Every structure is written in structure tokens, then in C-alpha cells.
Amino acid sequence: MLENLLERNRVWSRSRQDEEPGYFSRLASHQAPEFFWIGCSDSRVPANVVAGLDPGEVFVHRNVANVVHSSDLNLLSALEFAVESLKVREIIVCGHYGCGGVKAATEDLPHGLADHWLEPIRRQARFHASELARHNDIEGRRDRLAELNVIEGVGRVAETPIMRRAWRAGADIKIHGLIYSLKDGLLRDLECTIRPSDIQTSDKAAFQGRAQQ
């Protein structure tokens, strides 16, 4: 099986060089992606493929159920590198319908360490219980929960000191939330984009509110 994988790699490498001589030399010289993608580890949702992007065009972090933990040093390190070194312009938190992590978070079954990792999704399920109950079937509830998990992730990325520091320095970085459908291969904008001006406005309002108390 491994030899088959290596042979497929050799075929791919030769075809890329035939199609575009010097491709690997250019790719090796630098990377300048415009996007930082926070996505699910699911093998059916590779960022480059579903977004139609070539290697070098998107910097990627993936984990089970695309959860944004404020204490996840792996994600935070990737975010910091993407923002401060690669100077990305757009950050995308992308979930997908039919997510196994979301399914596990809604089951009354043990899943080992995943139970700790998925706690933010269970918390979202409890908080939005009345909204989720409006969906008649379990699949519909889980798909809506996958959307809510993305929206929560966008907000959590925006709240990191990394993003606050970048925005204060004048970086024009937007954070978007997308959801991917395995059934038709399409990405959908959840319209929860956060821009630098959104944070400045909300911070000012929060400060004024505290001052008036």
C-alpha cells in the first residue's frame, strides 16, 4: 500500500513538472498564501481541493471538528505565524455537514480524549437547545450545530490577542465562517465575517457601557 502511494507521488511529480517546468523550484523558494484555513481533519474536506487552490495559496490548520480552543497552542502558533510572518489577508473557519466530531459530541457514548476536545460543541448544543429543537430530524440538528460551531470559532479567533495585536497595528485581516457540503461539494458563506472595524466598534461600545455603570 505504501509503495502504491509513493508511485502515485512520482507520477504526480512528473506530471506537474511536465505541465509547468520549474513548478517545484518556484514553490520551494517561498510561500505567500492569502488565506489561513482552520478546518476539520476529515479526509473528505482537504482545504486546497475544495477551495480550488494550488499548493502555496492557503496555509492550513486542521483538527477534529474544526474546534477553536483558546488554549490550543498548535492552532495559536499557526495563527500567529499566518498573521505575523505570512501576512495573510483572510482567515477562514470552515466546518462541514455530516461532521463526525459534531455527531460524537451529540451522542451519549464515550469517545475517549475526544470527549474533552469536543466539549465546546456540547456547550453550544446546550446553549442553543431551543433553536436546535426546531429541526425535526437529528441530521438537521447536527448540521445546524456544525454551523454554530463555525460561527463560534470565528468569534474565538477574533478574540485572540494575536488578532487584537494585528488589528491595532493596522492589519486589514477579515475572518470568515464557511460550511462545506459533502453532498454537492459546495462551500457556503455563513455571513458571520468579522472585520477590524467590527472589533473597534464593539470594544468602544463595551468600554462606554462599563463607564456608565
Side-chain angles (χ1 to χ4, degrees), residues 137-200:
D137 61 289
I138 187 65
E139 182 178 349
R141 290 193 289 273
R142 285 171 175 162
D143 284 349
R144 178 53 181 160
L145 186 55
E147 294 176 348
L148 293 169
N149 180 44
V150 168
I151 295 169
E152 172 74 5
V154 168
R156 283 181 171 268
V157 172
E159 291 170 356
T160 62
I162 296 165
M163 291 308 306
R164 297 304 180 108
R165 187 166 61 243
W167 281 329
R168 282 197 302 269
D172 185 21
I173 303 173
K174 302 178 184 68
I175 309 171
H176 310 281
L178 304 180
I179 195 83
Y180 176 74
S181 173
L182 295 167
K183 294 180 179 179
D184 60 17
L186 294 178
L187 291 165
R188 174 174 158 241
D189 186 356
L190 292 176
E191 299 182 356
C192 56
T193 296
I194 296 180
R195 301 168 178 80
S197 58
D198 298 328
I199 293 299
Q200 293 164 4

Side-chain angles (χ1 to χ4, degrees), residues 6-206:
L6 294 173
E7 177 57 27
R8 290 167 69 94
N9 167 253
R10 288 189 286 268
V11 171
W12 171 77
S13 175
R14 287 194 298 269
S15 66
R16 286 298 306 189
Q17 293 183 83
D18 290 342
E19 293 170 6
E20 190 177 342
Y23 170 78
F24 290 108
S25 297
R26 287 193 296 275
L27 194 63
S29 64
H30 74 289
Q31 63 168 329
E34 292 190 2
F35 302 96
F36 175 45
W37 179 286
I38 301 170
C40 182
S41 299
D42 193 302
S43 61
R44 300 166 294 177
V45 196
N48 288 72
V49 176
V50 303
L53 298 172
D54 286 330
E57 293 185 326
V58 56
F59 189 61
V60 179
H61 171 86
R62 297 171 72 181
N63 63 53
V64 175
N66 49 274
V67 177
V68 178
H69 278 277
S70 58
S71 59
D72 181 0
L73 295 182
N74 190 336
L75 186 154
L76 294 175
S77 297
L79 174 64
E80 184 177 69
F81 183 72
V83 170
E84 298 185 3
S85 297
L86 297 177
K87 308 296 183 184
V88 298
R89 301 287 300 278
E90 316 275 344
I91 296 172
I92 294 169
V93 179
C94 183
H96 66 98
Y97 297 131
C99 179
V102 172
K103 179 176 181 291
T106 58
E107 292 177 329
D108 189 20
L109 296 169
H111 296 91
L113 287 175
D115 288 329
H116 300 279
W117 180 259
L118 298 171
E119 174 54 30
I121 300 180
R122 285 194 292 274
R123 191 163 57 245
Q124 285 290 303
R126 292 191 295 269
F127 185 80
H128 295 283
S130 58
E131 177 189 347
L132 295 173
R134 291 198 290 268
H135 294 269
N136 294 325
D137 61 289
I138 187 65
E139 182 178 349
R141 290 193 289 273
R142 285 171 175 162
D143 284 349
R144 178 53 181 160
L145 186 55
E147 294 176 348
L148 293 169
N149 180 44
V150 168
I151 295 169
E152 172 74 5
V154 168
R156 283 181 171 268
V157 172
E159 291 170 356
T160 62
I162 296 165
M163 291 308 306
R164 297 304 180 108
R165 187 166 61 243
W167 281 329
R168 282 197 302 269
D172 185 21
I173 303 173
K174 302 178 184 68
I175 309 171
H176 310 281
L178 304 180
I179 195 83
Y180 176 74
S181 173
L182 295 167
K183 294 180 179 179
D184 60 17
L186 294 178
L187 291 165
R188 174 174 158 241
D189 186 356
L190 292 176
E191 299 182 356
C192 56
T193 296
I194 296 180
R195 301 168 178 80
S197 58
D198 298 328
I199 293 299
Q200 293 164 4
T201 300
S202 64
D203 283 353
K204 183 177 180 180

